[in-house]
Amino acid sequence: RILGICGGYQMMGTSLRDPQGLEEKNQKETEGLKLFRMTTEFYPEKVLRKVEDFVDVRIFGARVSGKLECYEIHMGQSVLEEPYDSLGSCGVIHPSGNLVGTYYHGLFESTEFRESFLNALAQSVGKPRSGAPSLLSAGQLKEIHYERLSDLLTRHLNLDLLRDALGVSELKLCR
């Protein structure tokens, strides 16, 4: 079971072409892993866009669905040489259901998608999910961890010593 995101997705294709030497001056073409019949060619223009999508697909033999709020950022264009099931507007699923490639960054920020993906993955290997599923978004989980880190630093860091070492008169931890 493989999920390739961005450059990992590009590597899953037949080849990566760089005729202008944007990524590698001395190597104009690199063989891919040949998991998808796809060629990627690099161009100087970088694609950067916010994506909102909803997917309802079969991955790893199970239904995976959810709203996606991600972004796409990459150089080059990937051209599929045969049709594949899609994962939204910029991703593909191999007919086996065990290979997925996408340009979506932040794919697991969506709680619904993340949980259904992890459930499908666990089910595909015959393992139960350990722990309770998280109902919090990835952003909410990050905030909780930042707060914990801030609390730990406040309790265990000598801010006066740090201020003196840095030569600053005021030092506050973000809260």
Side-chain angles (χ1 to χ4, degrees):
R1 291 151 196 88
I2 298 174
L3 168 64
I5 298 175
C6 199
Y9 170 42
Q10 293 172 336
M11 291 170 38
M12 293 171 83
T14 308
S15 66
L16 295 99
R17 296 183 183 146
D18 188 7
Q20 298 176 49
L22 300 168
E23 291 290 318
E24 180 62 47
K25 299 287 181 217
N26 300 322
Q27 191 166 357
K28 301 298 182 195
E29 187 166 347
T30 302
E31 189 174 331
L33 297 171
K34 300 180 182 174
L35 301 173
F36 289 109
R37 294 201 54 222
M38 171 182 80
T39 301
T40 298
E41 187 163 329
F42 295 108
Y43 297 102
E45 300 79 28
K46 186 172 275 195
V47 174
L48 173 58
R49 69 183 181 108
K50 185 173 170 51
V51 178
E52 291 187 16
D53 213 338
F54 182 85
V55 297
D56 188 359
V57 295
R58 290 195 65 76
I59 299 175
F60 310 137
R63 181 173 175 251
V64 174
S65 65
K67 182 178 179 186
L68 301 177
E69 293 180 11
C70 343
Y71 63 97
E72 182 183 350
I73 179 171
H74 59 91
M75 289 180 64
Q77 180 178 357
S78 296
V79 177
L80 297 167
E81 297 160 16
E82 67 180 63
Y84 294 97
D85 287 341
S86 67
L87 178 70
S89 62
C90 64
V92 295
I93 303 166
H94 189 271
S96 69
N98 290 326
L99 305 171
V100 181
T102 185
Y103 280 121
Y104 288 145
H105 292 260
L107 186 63
F108 297 109
E109 296 285 322
S110 159
T111 304
E112 182 183 8
F113 178 83
R114 180 181 64 244
E115 290 301 318
S116 67
F117 183 93
L118 292 174
N119 287 335
L121 180 59
Q123 179 183 334
S124 75
V125 295
K127 303 262 183 187
R129 290 272 313 273
S130 60
S134 173
L135 301 178
L136 300 174
S137 72
Q140 290 168 318
L141 290 170
K142 285 180 196 174
E143 266 314 303
I144 289 169
H145 291 293
Y146 291 146
E147 286 296 321
R148 287 180 185 162
L149 178 60
S150 177
D151 290 343
L152 283 169
L153 291 174
T154 300
R155 281 197 316 266
H156 300 289
L157 191 63
N158 183 333
L159 293 178
D160 291 331
L161 185 62
L162 185 58
R163 260 192 303 275
D164 291 344
L166 294 173
V168 295
S169 59
E170 190 173 334
L171 181 67
K172 291 183 180 179
L173 295 177
C174 296
R175 302 256 327 136

